Amino acid sequence: MALIVQKYGGSSVGSVERIQAVAQRVYQTVKAGNSVVVVVSAMGKTTDGLVKLANDISTNPNRREMDMLLSTGEQVTIALVSMALQELGQPAISMTGAQVGIVTEAEHTRARILHIETDRLIRHLNQGKVVVVAGFQGVASTEELEITTLGRGGSDTSAVAVAAALGANFCEIYTDVPGILTTDPRLVPEAQLMADITCDEMLELASLGAKVLHPRAVEIARNYGVPLVVRSSWTDEPGTWVTSAKPQGRSLVNLELARPVDNVELDTDQAKVALLRVPDKPGVAARLFGEISQQKVDVDLIIQSIHEGNSNDIAFTVTTPILKRAEAVAAAIAPALRNQPNSDEAEVMIEQNIAKVSIAGAGMIGRPGVAAKMFATLADAGVNIQMISTSEVKVSCVVAAAQCENAIAALRQAFEIEELENTTQNSPSQHSTLNTQHSTLSTQHSALSTPHSTLSTQHSALSTSAEAHPVRGVALDMNQARLAIRQVPDRPGMAARLFGLLARHNISVDMIIQSQRCRVVDGIPRRDIAFTVARMDGENAQQRLSQVAGELGWGEVVLDSAIAKVSIVGAGMVGQPGTAAKMFDALAQHKINIQMIATSEIKISCVVAKEQGVQALQVIHAAFDLAGSEKFVVPV
Ligand code: ADP
Ligand code: ASP
Ligand code: MG
């Protein structure tokens, strides 16, 4: 007998018929000998409707009242599902977040879960009842009973948190698609189902716009080792397992506020190759990285900064042993990349004796203060940051090799990471840690699926190898804006000031890119810094940064809201030189200009014009042969 948490999303409970179908599935699961906690969302598009009502009354509704309003949606569903179960003769009881004791921080509309009281849940389960819990909501304290919500899409997070707190055998997320697909089937109907995906890959995908799972739910699954599967509530297909490494034995107190950084990493023996002043037009990155992959040069970080005038800088890092080859490729291609008939040739700049220091951890998602703290720590240690590359679960900074010991020591201390156990030194075969980690993950995953024998058997029948495909999924984020700050003085502490300011206003930053070109203005070397934020934060961020421009000595702050970000994700792209080239080539062939590039080990993201976003997603998905022969029809 297993303890299972089943979560049903809005579309799965969108009508009376759907609620009855859900009750049937729950009933069958209980009859098979399991205990079940059900977590539900509001019916269909109820939450959207409630948001609209609030906006009709106020342009800036009070956040406490917003939570009071939005939490009603789930309360309707729990009562109806409970009634439907009782109609089948199955004892059931509905409970709001407050009744369960889902205690959150007092941050209305975006609360994180602190802990979940399990006594009442367990008492009802022991009495043979199915407990139907309202997702997406909690209370800020069990005395004041102030209702909070977790943020849109948050009932996935409720479900995984309940599963972690109860030590459930696994958590099933039921939705309107058969599992996690290579991309959003609403935009690419040929998207293909995955049998499994690692938490790391899923974290990147979810935070990049794959709304099928709330990233915070993946974060909890990863931190607590909750076996997680995404399935369709319309069929009996096995769905997609989201696999995690071994549980870290974390405390269930401060559940979502656990230590944000798990690891401080160092890659030594790095070198940077930068191409300055390459033309800002489709095909340049494709040509450069096409040639590089032909020469079998494995690049690590790639960044392309915003254009100044009408040219770009593209930079990448390689390990020192292959620098000569990388440099030769860049030097050979530079003359061909003349910007304008009479302009300067593109210039190759090499920087040796650099190192990459990174902080990693699922807990930094949506917590802008973590990256800011890294930058501040480096600044305090007198370390200048030459390149920044961010993903949802990692922030990497390229620094001078001579300063890397300092940098690592300061970061370890700031994030309370013990030296021996947690620090990896990945040089010279820098990626070995990741590869090993990946195979460990898959091994552990098959062990994890054993509790439920039917599921795991079906699952292995479907299994596709992660190693066979360097790219697992493609995601599109149409809700971002880009900010560029011109002429930021190039000295330690600038990134810390900048991102510290944004963090204090709760603005999360996604891609961060510093231009490679340094220009001396008023006797001070300066670089541009560009980054992306959620579109709704764009104007606020621009205003805040403009206000301090005089004081901090930087120039204009430019906002562009008409952008889209398209990303590829896959643990298998590590050590596969051609992956970036293939992505850039797909865009070039369709005349889609790349405005920004940023990478992490398992992700490459490109910013393109907003109106080309969907097309970019489609052509990249096709380029990596991710399309299946079957088209998915998402139920209406
Ligand atoms: P629920 O109401 O069940 O929580 P959501 O609408 O939040 O469902 O999430 C499911 C939707 O996520 C799907 O209908 C699909 O359009 C979208 N989606 C985006 N990316 C992906 C992906 N990679 N795999 C599956 N679904 C995706
Ligand atoms: N009903 C909430 C929303 O639409 C929570 C959820 O569905 O996950 O955001
Ligand atoms: Mg959802």
Side-chain angles (χ1 to χ4, degrees), residues 41-42 47 74 136 152-155:
S41 294
T47 314
E74 273 69 14
F136 175 58
R152 297 301 307 273
S155 32

Side-chain angles (χ1 to χ4, degrees), residues 265-271 297-301 317-322 355-356 358 394 424-436 574-575 601:
E265 297 171 0
L266 170 64
D267 289 303
T268 51
D269 223 4
Q270 303 274 300
V297 172
D298 191 14
V299 299
D300 182 21
L301 298 180
T317 59
V318 294
T319 53
T320 315
I322 55 171
K356 184 175 81 174
S358 312
K394 194 170 221 177
T424 50
Q425 177 146 1
N426 300 340
S427 176
S429 59
Q430 52 172 353
H431 294 306
S432 57
T433 326
L434 233 154
N435 281 333
T436 338
V574 173
E601 277 94 340

Side-chain angles (χ1 to χ4, degrees), residues 95-172:
M95 294 177 93
T96 64
Q99 287 174 319
V100 171
I102 299 181
V103 181
T104 72
E105 27 166 32
E107 276 278 345
H108 286 292
T109 72
R110 52 165 180 249
R112 285 179 181 263
I113 297 175
L114 297 178
H115 72 271
I116 297 182
E117 295 179 0
T118 50
D119 306 359
R120 263 168 260 164
L121 284 174
I122 291 171
R123 200 169 67 227
H124 290 300
L125 288 171
N126 285 344
Q127 290 166 1
K129 285 180 233 168
V130 167
V131 189
V132 187
V133 176
F136 175 58
Q137 56 176 261
V139 276
S141 99
T142 44
E143 278 144 39
E144 297 291 327
L145 297 177
E146 277 295 315
I147 297 176
T148 52
T149 63
L150 309 183
R152 297 301 307 273
S155 32
D156 298 335
T157 297
S158 307
V160 180
V162 166
L166 286 172
N169 293 71
F170 53 93
C171 179
E172 297 180 313

Side-chain angles (χ1 to χ4, degrees), residues 7-12 41 153 155-156 174-177 179-186 194 202 205 209-213 474 634:
K7 179 258 171 177
Y8 293 91
S11 49
S12 297
S41 294
S155 32
D156 298 335
Y174 283 96
T175 185
D176 58 358
V177 283
I180 298 162
L181 303 166
T182 47
T183 193
D184 190 341
R186 288 177 205 262
M194 288 183 249
M202 195 56 221
L205 276 177
K211 72 176 257 189
V212 62
L213 263 184
V474 189
V634 180

Side-chain angles (χ1 to χ4, degrees), residues 480-497:
Q480 296 227 325
R482 187 188 64 198
L483 282 142
I485 310 182
R486 305 287 185 204
Q487 302 186 1
V488 180
D490 183 32
R491 59 171 174 249
M494 272 300 162
R497 302 285 284 270

